[in-house]
CSV table of all heavy atoms in Angstrom, one decimal:
chain,number,residue,atom,x,y,z
A,227,THR,N,0.8,-1.2,0.0
A,227,THR,CA,0.0,0.0,0.0
A,227,THR,C,0.9,1.2,0.0
A,227,THR,O,0.5,2.2,-0.6
A,227,THR,CB,-1.0,0.0,1.2
A,227,THR,OG1,-0.1,-0.1,2.4
A,227,THR,CG2,-1.9,-1.2,1.2
A,228,ARG,N,2.0,1.2,0.7
A,228,ARG,CA,2.9,2.4,0.8
A,228,ARG,C,3.6,2.5,-0.6
A,228,ARG,O,3.7,3.7,-1.1
A,228,ARG,CB,4.0,2.1,1.8
A,228,ARG,CG,5.0,3.2,2.1
A,228,ARG,CD,5.8,2.9,3.3
A,228,ARG,NE,7.0,3.8,3.4
A,228,ARG,CZ,7.0,4.9,3.9
A,228,ARG,NH1,5.9,5.6,4.2
A,228,ARG,NH2,8.2,5.6,3.9
A,229,HIS,N,4.1,1.5,-1.3
A,229,HIS,CA,4.6,1.6,-2.6
A,229,HIS,C,3.6,2.1,-3.7
A,229,HIS,O,3.9,2.9,-4.5
A,229,HIS,CB,5.2,0.3,-3.0
A,229,HIS,CG,6.4,-0.1,-2.2
A,229,HIS,ND1,7.4,0.7,-1.9
A,229,HIS,CD2,6.7,-1.4,-1.7
A,229,HIS,CE1,8.3,0.0,-1.2
A,229,HIS,NE2,7.9,-1.2,-1.1
A,230,THR,N,2.4,1.6,-3.4
A,230,THR,CA,1.3,2.1,-4.4
A,230,THR,C,1.0,3.6,-4.3
A,230,THR,O,0.9,4.2,-5.2
A,230,THR,CB,0.0,1.3,-4.0
A,230,THR,OG1,0.3,-0.1,-4.1
A,230,THR,CG2,-1.1,1.7,-5.0
A,231,TYR,N,1.0,4.0,-3.0
A,231,TYR,CA,0.9,5.5,-2.8
A,231,TYR,C,1.9,6.4,-3.4
A,231,TYR,O,1.6,7.3,-4.1
A,231,TYR,CB,0.8,5.7,-1.2
A,231,TYR,CG,0.8,7.1,-0.8
A,231,TYR,CD1,-0.3,7.8,-0.7
A,231,TYR,CD2,2.0,7.7,-0.4
A,231,TYR,CE1,-0.3,9.2,-0.2
A,231,TYR,CE2,2.0,9.1,-0.1
A,231,TYR,CZ,0.9,9.7,0.1
A,231,TYR,OH,0.9,11.1,0.5
A,232,ALA,N,3.2,5.8,-3.2
A,232,ALA,CA,4.4,6.6,-3.7
A,232,ALA,C,4.3,6.7,-5.2
A,232,ALA,O,4.5,7.8,-5.9
A,232,ALA,CB,5.7,6.0,-3.2
A,233,THR,N,4.1,5.6,-5.9
A,233,THR,CA,4.2,5.5,-7.3
A,233,THR,C,3.0,6.3,-7.9
A,233,THR,O,3.1,6.9,-9.1
A,233,THR,CB,4.2,4.1,-7.8
A,233,THR,OG1,3.1,3.3,-7.3
A,233,THR,CG2,5.5,3.4,-7.5
A,234,ARG,N,1.8,6.2,-7.3
A,234,ARG,CA,0.7,7.0,-8.0
A,234,ARG,C,1.0,8.5,-7.9
A,234,ARG,O,0.6,9.2,-8.8
A,234,ARG,CB,-0.6,6.6,-7.2
A,234,ARG,CG,-1.0,5.1,-7.4
A,234,ARG,CD,-2.4,4.9,-6.9
A,234,ARG,NE,-3.5,5.5,-7.6
A,234,ARG,CZ,-4.8,5.4,-7.4
A,234,ARG,NH1,-5.1,4.4,-6.4
A,234,ARG,NH2,-5.7,5.9,-8.0
A,235,LEU,N,1.5,9.0,-6.8
A,235,LEU,CA,1.9,10.3,-6.6
A,235,LEU,C,2.9,10.7,-7.6
A,235,LEU,O,2.8,11.9,-8.3
A,235,LEU,CB,2.3,10.7,-5.2
A,235,LEU,CG,1.3,11.2,-4.2
A,235,LEU,CD1,0.1,10.2,-4.2
A,235,LEU,CD2,1.8,11.6,-2.9
A,236,ILE,N,3.9,9.9,-7.8
A,236,ILE,CA,4.9,10.2,-8.7
A,236,ILE,C,4.4,10.3,-10.1
A,236,ILE,O,4.7,11.2,-10.9
A,236,ILE,CB,6.1,9.1,-8.8
A,236,ILE,CG1,6.8,9.2,-7.4
A,236,ILE,CG2,7.0,9.3,-9.9
A,236,ILE,CD1,7.7,8.1,-7.1
A,237,MET,N,3.6,9.3,-10.6
A,237,MET,CA,3.0,9.3,-11.9
A,237,MET,C,2.2,10.4,-12.2
A,237,MET,O,1.8,10.9,-13.3
A,237,MET,CB,2.4,7.9,-12.2
A,237,MET,CG,3.3,6.7,-12.2
A,237,MET,SD,4.7,6.9,-13.0
A,237,MET,CE,4.0,6.7,-14.8
A,238,ALA,N,1.5,11.0,-11.1
A,238,ALA,CA,0.6,12.2,-11.2
A,238,ALA,C,1.4,13.5,-11.3
A,238,ALA,O,0.7,14.5,-11.6
A,238,ALA,CB,-0.4,12.2,-10.0
A,239,GLY,N,2.7,13.3,-11.3
A,239,GLY,CA,3.5,14.6,-11.5
A,239,GLY,C,3.8,15.4,-10.3
A,239,GLY,O,4.2,16.6,-10.3
A,240,ILE,N,3.4,14.9,-9.1
A,240,ILE,CA,3.6,15.6,-7.8
A,240,ILE,C,5.2,15.7,-7.5
A,240,ILE,O,5.9,14.7,-7.8
A,240,ILE,CB,2.9,14.9,-6.6
A,240,ILE,CG1,1.3,15.0,-6.9
A,240,ILE,CG2,3.2,15.6,-5.4
A,240,ILE,CD1,0.5,14.3,-5.9
A,241,LYS,N,5.5,16.8,-7.0
A,241,LYS,CA,6.9,17.1,-6.9
A,241,LYS,C,7.6,16.1,-5.9
A,241,LYS,O,7.0,15.7,-4.8
A,241,LYS,CB,7.2,18.4,-6.2
A,241,LYS,CG,6.8,19.6,-7.3
A,241,LYS,CD,7.1,21.0,-6.6
A,241,LYS,CE,6.8,22.1,-7.6
A,241,LYS,NZ,7.0,23.4,-7.0
A,242,PRO,N,8.7,15.5,-6.3
A,242,PRO,CA,9.4,14.4,-5.3
A,242,PRO,C,9.7,15.0,-3.9
A,242,PRO,O,9.6,14.2,-3.0
A,242,PRO,CB,10.7,14.1,-6.1
A,242,PRO,CG,10.3,14.5,-7.5
A,242,PRO,CD,9.3,15.7,-7.5
A,243,ALA,N,10.0,16.3,-3.8
A,243,ALA,CA,10.2,16.7,-2.4
A,243,ALA,C,9.0,16.7,-1.5
A,243,ALA,O,9.2,16.3,-0.4
A,243,ALA,CB,10.7,18.2,-2.5
A,244,TYR,N,7.8,16.9,-2.1
A,244,TYR,CA,6.6,16.8,-1.4
A,244,TYR,C,6.4,15.4,-1.0
A,244,TYR,O,6.0,15.1,0.2
A,244,TYR,CB,5.5,17.4,-2.2
A,244,TYR,CG,4.1,17.2,-1.5
A,244,TYR,CD1,3.7,18.0,-0.6
A,244,TYR,CD2,3.3,16.1,-1.8
A,244,TYR,CE1,2.5,18.0,0.2
A,244,TYR,CE2,2.0,16.0,-1.2
A,244,TYR,CZ,1.6,16.8,-0.3
A,244,TYR,OH,0.4,16.7,0.5
A,245,ILE,N,6.5,14.5,-1.9
A,245,ILE,CA,6.3,13.0,-1.7
A,245,ILE,C,7.3,12.5,-0.6
A,245,ILE,O,6.9,11.8,0.2
A,245,ILE,CB,6.5,12.2,-3.0
A,245,ILE,CG1,5.6,12.7,-4.1
A,245,ILE,CG2,6.2,10.7,-2.8
A,245,ILE,CD1,5.8,12.1,-5.4
A,246,ALA,N,8.5,13.0,-0.7
A,246,ALA,CA,9.5,12.5,0.4
A,246,ALA,C,9.0,13.0,1.7
A,246,ALA,O,9.3,12.2,2.7
A,246,ALA,CB,10.9,13.1,0.0
A,247,ARG,N,8.6,14.2,1.9
A,247,ARG,CA,8.1,14.6,3.2
A,247,ARG,C,6.9,13.9,3.6
A,247,ARG,O,6.8,13.5,4.9
A,247,ARG,CB,7.7,16.1,3.1
A,247,ARG,CG,8.9,17.0,3.0
A,247,ARG,CD,8.5,18.5,3.3
A,247,ARG,NE,7.5,19.0,2.4
A,247,ARG,CZ,7.6,19.6,1.2
A,247,ARG,NH1,8.9,19.8,0.8
A,247,ARG,NH2,6.6,20.1,0.6
A,248,GLN,N,6.0,13.5,2.8
A,248,GLN,CA,4.8,12.8,3.2
A,248,GLN,C,5.2,11.4,3.7
A,248,GLN,O,4.6,10.9,4.7
A,248,GLN,CB,3.9,12.6,1.9
A,248,GLN,CG,3.0,13.8,1.5
A,248,GLN,CD,1.8,14.0,2.4
A,248,GLN,OE1,1.8,14.9,3.4
A,248,GLN,NE2,0.8,13.2,2.2
A,249,MET,N,6.3,10.8,3.0
A,249,MET,CA,6.6,9.4,3.4
A,249,MET,C,7.7,9.3,4.4
A,249,MET,O,8.0,8.2,5.0
A,249,MET,CB,7.0,8.7,2.1
A,249,MET,CG,5.9,8.6,1.0
A,249,MET,SD,6.4,7.7,-0.4
A,249,MET,CE,6.5,6.0,0.4
A,250,GLY,N,8.3,10.4,4.7
A,250,GLY,CA,9.3,10.4,5.8
A,250,GLY,C,10.5,9.9,5.3
A,250,GLY,O,11.5,9.2,5.9
A,251,HIS,N,10.8,10.1,3.9
A,251,HIS,CA,12.0,9.7,3.2
A,251,HIS,C,12.9,10.9,3.0
A,251,HIS,O,12.5,12.0,3.0
A,251,HIS,CB,11.7,9.2,1.8
A,251,HIS,CG,11.3,7.7,1.8
A,251,HIS,ND1,11.8,6.7,2.7
A,251,HIS,CD2,10.5,7.0,0.9
A,251,HIS,CE1,11.3,5.5,2.5
A,251,HIS,NE2,10.5,5.7,1.4
């Protein structure tokens, strides 16, 4: 579920910095 969330955000064009903050990466 975590990998699914990350890849869907990436494919939607959301900025990687925002995704990293959301995931704690």
Side-chain angles (χ1 to χ4, degrees):
T227 58
R228 180 168 167 85
H229 293 317
T230 302
Y231 171 87
T233 53
R234 289 187 71 174
L235 265 58
I236 290 169
M237 298 306 289
I240 296 175
K241 293 180 179 179
Y244 175 82
I245 301 172
R247 287 196 303 273
Q248 285 280 103
M249 301 187 69
H251 276 326

